[in-house]
């Protein structure tokens, strides 16, 4: 239900001048002489319907319908196949993306590291060349009689007699009361190198 209100017009405000005595209109009655009857203010919403009470009756609970019949076996197997294929598809997509990422990463790393590999190969070739040149220079200086190098003579060799064999030492137990070296010991420090 929609209720519409009629807009009221604003009343004119009359300012009272304190120096001019106010005139009481002829239709104004002092409060003391007003008739003593109840004032009825009309309801702006109109008459209201009387309040009625409604009797509440206990409601009857209805029985739920019987459960649906169980799905047939072929429909269950198709549902299970759908779930299984979804899982397998997810695993395959994950594996494919992983291998793709590893391939892209290895190729980008190879692209970054390949110039360094070529630089190292070039250095290796230069070192081999320098080694062969050095060998050739040594051989040439050995063949030169004024170089100061001589063929070794067995008569100029010094032979040293080997020392006698020492007896085998049995291994000491791991836990000793007085170890030879301990991190806190100051007497076991070497004096010089």
């Amino acid at each position: 239900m929609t209720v519409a209100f009629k807009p009221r017009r604003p009343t004119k405000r009359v300012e009272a001048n304190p120096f001019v005595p106010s005139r009481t209109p002829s239709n104004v009655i002092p409060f003391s002489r007003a008739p003593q009857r109840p004032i009825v203010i009309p309801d702006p919403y109109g008459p209201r319907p009387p309040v009625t009470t409604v009797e509440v009756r206990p409601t009857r609970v209805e029985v739920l319908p019987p459960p649906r019949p169980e799905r047939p076996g072929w429909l269950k197997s198709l549902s299970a196949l759908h779930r299984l294929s979804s899982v397998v598809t997810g695993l395959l997509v994950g594996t494919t993306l992983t291998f793709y990422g590893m391939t892209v990463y290895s190729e980008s790393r190879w692209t970054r590291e390949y110039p360094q590999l070529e630089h190292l190969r070039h250095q290796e070739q230069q070192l081999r060349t320098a080694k062969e040149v050095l060998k050739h220079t040594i051989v040439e200086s050995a063949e030169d009689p004024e170089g100061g190098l001589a063929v070794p003579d067995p008569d100029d060799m010094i032979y040293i007699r080997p020392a006698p064999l020492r007896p085998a030492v049995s291994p000491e137990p791991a836990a000793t009361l007085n170890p030879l070296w301990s991190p806190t010991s100051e007497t076991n420090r070497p004096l010089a190198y």
Side-chain angles (χ1 to χ4, degrees), residues 168-189:
V169 179
S170 64
E172 292 185 28
T176 59
L177 296 176
N178 235 349
L180 295 178
W181 180 85
S182 67
T184 59
S185 173
E186 304 232 353
T187 58
N188 292 333
R189 288 187 7 210

Side-chain angles (χ1 to χ4, degrees), residues 7-163:
R8 291 185 174 182
R9 293 183 185 165
T11 59
K12 292 183 181 177
R13 296 181 75 188
V14 179
E15 293 185 17
N17 191 346
F19 300 109
V20 177
S22 63
R23 273 186 19 209
T24 306
S26 63
N27 62 352
V28 175
I29 303 171
F31 188 69
S32 60
R33 290 184 16 204
Q36 300 295 330
R37 62 174 185 231
I39 300 172
V40 178
I41 300 173
D43 191 4
Y45 300 111
R48 294 185 183 172
V51 178
T52 58
T53 59
V54 177
E55 184 180 325
V56 178
R57 294 184 209 155
T59 57
R60 194 174 67 174
V61 177
E62 294 182 13
V63 179
L64 293 175
R68 291 184 296 180
E70 203 170 302
R71 295 185 295 179
W74 62 271
L75 187 58
K76 284 183 181 178
S77 63
L78 281 179
S79 297
L81 181 65
H82 179 261
R83 283 190 216 110
L84 180 66
S85 66
S86 298
V87 170
V88 169
T89 303
L91 290 175
L92 285 175
V93 167
T95 306
T96 304
L97 289 177
T98 302
F99 279 123
Y100 177 73
M102 288 172 48
T103 304
V104 169
Y105 175 73
S106 63
E107 286 180 4
S108 67
R109 189 170 177 193
W110 172 259
T111 304
R112 280 189 314 235
E113 300 292 331
Y114 186 73
Q116 185 179 1
L117 176 67
E118 287 298 316
H119 177 68
L120 291 176
R121 283 182 181 167
H122 183 65
Q123 281 184 345
E124 181 185 13
Q125 185 179 7
Q126 287 180 345
L127 288 175
R128 283 184 183 170
T129 305
K131 180 180 172 184
E132 293 301 322
V133 168
L134 186 61
K135 278 184 187 178
H136 182 68
T137 306
I138 291 173
V139 168
E140 282 183 352
S141 64
E143 290 176 354
D144 185 19
E146 296 175 5
L149 295 177
V151 178
D153 187 17
D155 295 334
D156 295 338
M157 291 190 178
I158 300 174
Y159 293 98
I160 300 175
R161 189 174 39 170

